[in-house]
Amino acid sequence: MTINPFEFRTVPSMEMAWGGAKRLGGLIAERFAARTVLLVTDAGLVKAGLIAPIAASLEAAGCSVAIFDRVVPDPPESVLYGCVEEARQVAADIVIGLGGGSSLDIAKLAAVLLSSAQPLAEMYGIGKVQGARVPLVLVPTTAGTGSEVTNISIITTGETTKMGIVSPQLYADFVLLDAELTVGLPQVHTAASGIDAMVHAIEAYTSKHKKNPLSDALGREALRLLGSNLIAACKEPTNRDAREGMLLGAMLAGQAFSNSPVAAVHALAYPLGGHYHITHGLSNALMLGPVLRYNAQEAAPLYAELANVLGFTGSGDATARSEYFVAHMQVLMDESGAPRRLRDVGVTDNSLAMLAADAMKQTRLLVNNPVEVREEDALALYREAF
């Protein structure tokens, strides 16, 4: 087999430990000289009591801690600017992002903007960030986005559009995976974020331009872990094995897709977040079925390989195994308890054409799709999901 040239990057260091967040202060002190911490999170986690013991652990290790808790889902630029302002006021020399993908995305960019004079507007796109950043530590509280190991931040620009910043500076210095932090996640969030992670693995595996053997290996293992633990994590929220399997799977999927990028599911999901504030994981889950069926015309041989990962033991040609794979994903989504149709989450029929036009702006993603998606195709996919 000829191996095409490829590059693979990821974070330099990570640790997985149940309950590790309670020891975060010690883990930071071992690795970094910096002691003035900006902790980036959201108000829900503060209210749930998750943040106080972690801040106490940091303080016990000799750190001073300022907490920025104003991150919201699909964060706009104003949240990022507020975060950087707070970091400057306390002269933070290390940023810790703790939360879902939105908190991690804001933490990544805050760490860059804190030490850079480059305007944010010049950073959008691929490889545009210049200069260094302050030390960055990421601790996910959902098993979903994989943002802790990606070089991507997504920001809402204007009223309804989302834009990505992709750059090596956004890889964290250290990642802590503590699945105990995910135990309190409600079922619908566990389901949506878990399906989001599965989308990352699948889209990385079928990505048109940068598919590579390392991302393939990580994507397969991610899908195995996620597929075998999703329902248990949704139905038994305190199941430690399921929670750890999901968090590890989401991280591996993050490593896969930051090197072999995502495609049409994400391109069609972003307008749903922008216009209807449907969470990123749920909007991916809603679009996954239609896009899988659409892409099967080209991707069937790859879907057939992924069917084996999900436990397909029967015989049959690539088409039959591919059909099993798409059907099995549908069953997992149904059993997870996540909403299944656009109409179930408040999307109106008369907005589908606008969503399709908006999805066309996601050229960074659409070029990776195994099959071309034109505006009329996007509209048909939204209709199918409706």
Side-chain angles (χ1 to χ4, degrees), residues 330-376:
Q330 204 71 50
V331 168
L332 281 177
M333 291 190 281
D334 292 343
E335 286 186 10
S336 74
R340 295 301 309 120
R341 306 207 69 79
L342 295 182
R343 62 166 72 100
D344 300 338
V345 292
V347 175
T348 56
D349 191 13
N350 61 359
S351 70
L352 300 183
M354 170 194 70
L355 293 171
D358 258 20
M360 289 299 104
K361 296 173 188 166
Q362 299 295 335
T363 50
R364 174 178 73 85
L365 306 176
L366 289 171
V367 346
N368 305 313
N369 204 58
V371 185
E372 187 188 356
V373 179
R374 296 164 310 220
E375 193 169 331
E376 58 267 34

Side-chain angles (χ1 to χ4, degrees), residues 83-292:
C83 181
V84 174
E85 180 58 33
E86 199 145 322
R88 290 211 169 104
Q89 281 170 6
V90 300
D93 55 7
I94 182 168
V95 174
I96 300 176
L98 197 146
S102 296
S103 291
L104 304 188
D105 281 7
I106 291 292
K108 291 172 175 178
L109 288 175
V112 167
L113 288 168
L114 201 48
S115 68
S116 169
Q118 186 185 8
L120 179 63
E122 289 179 11
M123 296 182 182
Y124 290 107
I126 299 173
K128 307 274 183 68
V129 176
Q130 295 160 6
R133 57 154 172 75
V134 301
L136 174 65
V137 174
L138 298 175
V139 186
T141 59
T142 64
T145 65
S147 181
E148 66 275 9
V149 290
T150 72
N151 59 340
I152 306 161
S153 281
I154 305 295
I155 298 290
T156 300
T157 54
E159 282 301 300
T160 56
T161 44
K162 293 167 89 166
M163 286 177 73
I165 295 174
V166 184
S167 196
Q169 286 93 328
L170 301 187
Y171 282 120
D173 297 301
F174 175 63
V175 170
L176 175 65
L177 298 174
D178 176 1
E180 191 177 30
L181 297 173
T182 69
V183 165
L185 210 59
Q187 178 176 344
V188 67
H189 294 310
T190 299
S193 54
I195 294 163
D196 181 27
M198 296 181 86
V199 173
H200 293 152
I202 295 163
E203 292 208 296
Y205 201 76
T206 56
S207 194
K208 195 168 178 179
H209 294 297
K210 293 189 176 177
K211 178 177 165 66
N212 65 80
L214 269 176
S215 283
D216 284 354
L218 292 163
R220 282 193 300 267
E221 179 61 6
L223 200 61
R224 186 189 70 77
L225 284 163
L226 295 161
S228 56
N229 287 295
L230 176 68
I231 304 308
C234 290
K235 300 282 165 70
E236 310 158 36
T238 58
N239 181 326
R240 174 174 169 171
D241 290 350
R243 288 292 188 184
E244 291 205 306
M246 292 301 291
L247 189 60
L248 183 59
M251 183 278 293
L252 295 174
Q255 289 185 319
F257 90 85
S258 66
N259 291 279
S260 176
V262 292
V265 179
H266 278 72
L268 295 173
Y270 283 151
L272 294 171
H275 290 281
Y276 288 101
H277 300 293
I278 298 165
T279 61
H280 172 69
L282 182 52
S283 49
N284 268 335
L286 290 161
M287 294 314 302
L288 178 57
V291 175
L292 283 179

Side-chain angles (χ1 to χ4, degrees), residues 61-78:
C63 296
S64 66
V65 183
I67 297 170
F68 178 84
D69 65 359
R70 299 203 299 277
V71 178
V72 294
D74 304 310
E77 291 179 336
S78 58

